[in-house]
């Protein structure tokens, strides 16, 4: 075997589709192309550049595995004030290098080879591959599946359910009834409910967000993964966190020690010292992004293009209607013909090939609306109805 030949498992994993698409955009932009970028999974805010002046010298070094204590306290309080669920900052939370690593460590900590993890579509692109990397089996359900369909899919091999709430890309939030049903399922079958809440601030009009943890205050089966990436508009800082029962946090801490030691310490110190100020600064901007997202949904609707229901987050998942192109062909053609970058719906699951993902976070409104027009024009230009007319 050649020295650098990959393992069968890693070789079988694809690139993260959204990141791959954005790498292409970065390359095209570097060649001078003007791309309307609706594929980036982040919202650009004005966040004041951090100054590290005056931070303790400890900020330059490794921190405790579970994270800088002051940040843990602030995050625990933040979660508690949003959800009413107390979190012990000393043992029920760990600061991580983004929520992506929190999700991966959670899966690595709970899965035995062959365990099934139920993931409703549209699914965030990394879930199935993270499950596979942990030698589990992702079981996806089509986009129209209900919580009753999830219940029907539970088998003796099921170990966990992953829900993303609010949801990338539809913007849908789970209702209290749906969350309750999921908790009953978890409790009845001894499953872990992994709640990815990285868009928890993106609820229109400041409506309260209902965390999955509300229905499981003792953290018997719920793991909440969250992050500063989207909610604080600082995805590049790589700071996230996981809230779980202390017995699971102990297992996750071992993984973190062997993988990254701790989250970026200097940024964690800065965040801890400036937590409330950053939040006060970003919250109004989040509301503006959500409002923009919902105006973009209206612009699609005005052209007869429907999106899957939802109003939170900064994404939409519009339907390709009667276009004869599949979502990969559509996204490629849109980039080639109109210089508009989206992510093909198929990346979000086999049932999603009639959609593309649009993010409104990285472009001003006039360019977003140009992107919407280009999508609608391409749907019309490639629609079977048009062609047979
Ligand atoms: N979950 C979802 C649903 C996401 O969309 C993303 C990023 N696009 C993440 C998790 C990971 O974010 P991070 O690691 O930056 O916290």
């Amino acid at each position: 075997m050649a020295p650098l030949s990959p393992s069968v498992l890693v070789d079988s994993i694809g690139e993260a589709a959204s990141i791959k698409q954005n790498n292409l955009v970065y390359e095209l932009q570097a060649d001078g192309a003007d791309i309307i970028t609706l594929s980036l999974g982040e919202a650009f805010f004005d966040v004041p550049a951090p100054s590290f002046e005056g931070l303790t010298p400890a900020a330059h070094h490794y921190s405790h595995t579970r994270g800088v204590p002051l940040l843990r306290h602030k995050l625990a309080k933040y979660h508690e004030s949003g959800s009413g669920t107390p979190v012990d900052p000393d043992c029920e939370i760990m600061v991580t290098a983004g929520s992506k690593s929190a999700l991966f460590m959670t899966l690595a900590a709970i899965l035995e080879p062959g365990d099934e993890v139920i993931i409703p579509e549209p699914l965030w692109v990394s879930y199935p591959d993270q499950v596979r990397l942990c030698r589990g089996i992702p079981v996806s359900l089509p986009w129209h599946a209900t919580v009753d369909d999830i219940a029907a899919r539970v088998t003796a091999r099921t170990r966990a359910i992953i829900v993303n709430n609010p949801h990338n890309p539809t913007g849908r939030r789970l209702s209290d009834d749906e969350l309750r049903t999921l908790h009953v399922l978890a409790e009845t079958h001894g499953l872990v409910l992994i709640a990815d809440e990285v868009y928890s601030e993106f609820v229109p009009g400041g409506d309260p967000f209902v965390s999955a943890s509300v229905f499981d205050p003792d953290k018997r089966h719920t793991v909440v993964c969250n992050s500063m990436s989207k909610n604080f508009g600082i995805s590049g800082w790589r700071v996230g966190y996981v809230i779980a029962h202390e017995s699971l946090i102990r297992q996750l801490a071992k993984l973190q020690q062997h993988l990254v030691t701790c989250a970026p310490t200097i940024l964690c110190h800065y965040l801890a010292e400036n937590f409330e100020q950053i939040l006060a600064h970003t919250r109004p901007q989040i509301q503006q992004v959500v409002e923009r997202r919902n105006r973009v949904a209206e612009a699609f609707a005005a052209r007869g293009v429907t999106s899957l229901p939802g109003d939170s987050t900064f994404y939409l998942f519009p339907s390709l209607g009667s276009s004869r192109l599949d979502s990969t062909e559509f996204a490629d053609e849109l980039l080639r013909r109109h210089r508009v970058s989206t992510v093909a719906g198929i990346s979000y699951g086999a049932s999603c090939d009639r959609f593309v993902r649009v993010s409104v976070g990285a472009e001003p409104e006039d360019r977003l609306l140009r992107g919407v027009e280009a999508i609608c024009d391409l749907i019309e230009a490639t629609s079977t109805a048009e062609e047979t007319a």
Side-chain angles (χ1 to χ4, degrees), residues 66-140:
R66 290 198 300 278
V68 170
L70 181 61
L71 183 57
R72 268 189 271 146
H73 276 79
K74 297 259 166 119
L75 287 169
K77 214 165 99 204
Y78 170 68
H79 184 79
E80 187 170 342
S81 67
S83 67
T85 321
V87 174
D88 185 336
D90 291 329
C91 57
E92 293 181 331
I93 185 166
M94 183 168 80
V95 182
T96 57
S99 64
K100 199 175 265 195
S101 72
L103 288 158
F104 184 78
M105 289 187 285
T106 302
L107 292 166
I110 62 169
L111 293 184
E112 298 295 345
D115 279 355
E116 295 178 354
V117 179
I118 297 181
I119 315 172
E121 294 178 3
L123 44 78
W124 179 52
V125 297
S126 289
Y127 298 145
D129 282 336
Q130 286 201 350
V131 169
R132 285 188 199 99
L133 284 167
C134 296
R135 303 190 190 265
I137 301 173
V139 174
S140 57

Side-chain angles (χ1 to χ4, degrees), residues 98-100 103 124 127 164 168 196 198-199 227 229-230 238:
S99 64
K100 199 175 265 195
L103 288 158
W124 179 52
Y127 298 145
N164 175 211
N168 166 11
D196 173 350
V198 301
Y199 299 98
S227 167
S229 291
K230 323 284 170 164
R238 311 309 301 132

Side-chain angles (χ1 to χ4, degrees), residues 144-148 150 161 163 165 172-185 193 212 215:
H144 39 80
T146 62
V147 284
D148 293 334
I150 295 179
I161 302 169
V163 288
N165 181 40
R172 199 166 99 77
R173 273 173 290 147
L174 290 167
S175 69
D176 289 11
D177 278 351
E178 287 172 314
L179 284 170
R180 246 181 239 112
T181 306
L182 291 170
H183 282 290
V184 171
L185 259 186
L193 180 62
F215 300 91

Side-chain angles (χ1 to χ4, degrees), residues 74-75 78 228 232 271-279:
K74 297 259 166 119
L75 287 169
Y78 170 68
M228 323 319 290
F232 283 55
L271 257 175
E273 298 290 344
N274 297 277
F275 197 88
E276 295 78 14
Q277 293 90 315
I278 300 179
L279 200 53

Side-chain angles (χ1 to χ4, degrees), residues 101-286:
S101 72
L103 288 158
F104 184 78
M105 289 187 285
T106 302
L107 292 166
I110 62 169
L111 293 184
E112 298 295 345
D115 279 355
E116 295 178 354
V117 179
I118 297 181
I119 315 172
E121 294 178 3
L123 44 78
W124 179 52
V125 297
S126 289
Y127 298 145
D129 282 336
Q130 286 201 350
V131 169
R132 285 188 199 99
L133 284 167
C134 296
R135 303 190 190 265
I137 301 173
V139 174
S140 57
L141 295 179
W143 63 264
H144 39 80
T146 62
V147 284
D148 293 334
D149 296 320
I150 295 179
R153 192 57 191 79
V154 172
T155 70
R157 294 314 312 254
T158 309
R159 180 73 177 107
I161 302 169
I162 305 181
V163 288
N164 175 211
N165 181 40
H167 185 259
N168 166 11
T170 63
R172 199 166 99 77
R173 273 173 290 147
L174 290 167
S175 69
D176 289 11
D177 278 351
E178 287 172 314
L179 284 170
R180 246 181 239 112
T181 306
L182 291 170
H183 282 290
V184 171
L185 259 186
E187 195 65 36
T188 313
H189 298 276
L191 311 178
V192 180
L193 180 62
I194 302 175
D196 173 350
E197 300 184 348
V198 301
Y199 299 98
S200 53
E201 287 282 339
F202 288 81
V203 176
D207 273 5
F209 166 67
V210 182
S211 165
S213 57
V214 169
F215 300 91
D216 179 20
D218 297 332
K219 307 176 185 66
R220 289 165 52 85
H221 54 249
T222 309
V223 179
V224 172
C225 296
N226 206 328
S227 167
M228 323 319 290
S229 291
K230 323 284 170 164
N231 286 333
F232 283 55
I234 46 176
S235 52
W237 292 27
R238 311 309 301 132
V239 182
Y241 56 99
V242 52
I243 292 171
H245 191 274
E246 63 170 307
S247 60
L248 183 65
I249 294 288
R250 274 199 298 274
Q251 302 299 327
L252 300 180
K254 289 189 289 184
L255 293 171
Q256 176 134 293
Q257 284 168 6
H258 291 301
L259 286 170
V260 289
T261 306
C262 57
T265 315
I266 197 162
L267 296 170
C268 289
H269 275 277
Y270 177 83
L271 257 175
E273 298 290 344
N274 297 277
F275 197 88
E276 295 78 14
Q277 293 90 315
I278 300 179
L279 200 53
H281 193 76
T282 52
R283 269 189 171 147
Q285 298 183 71
I286 286 183

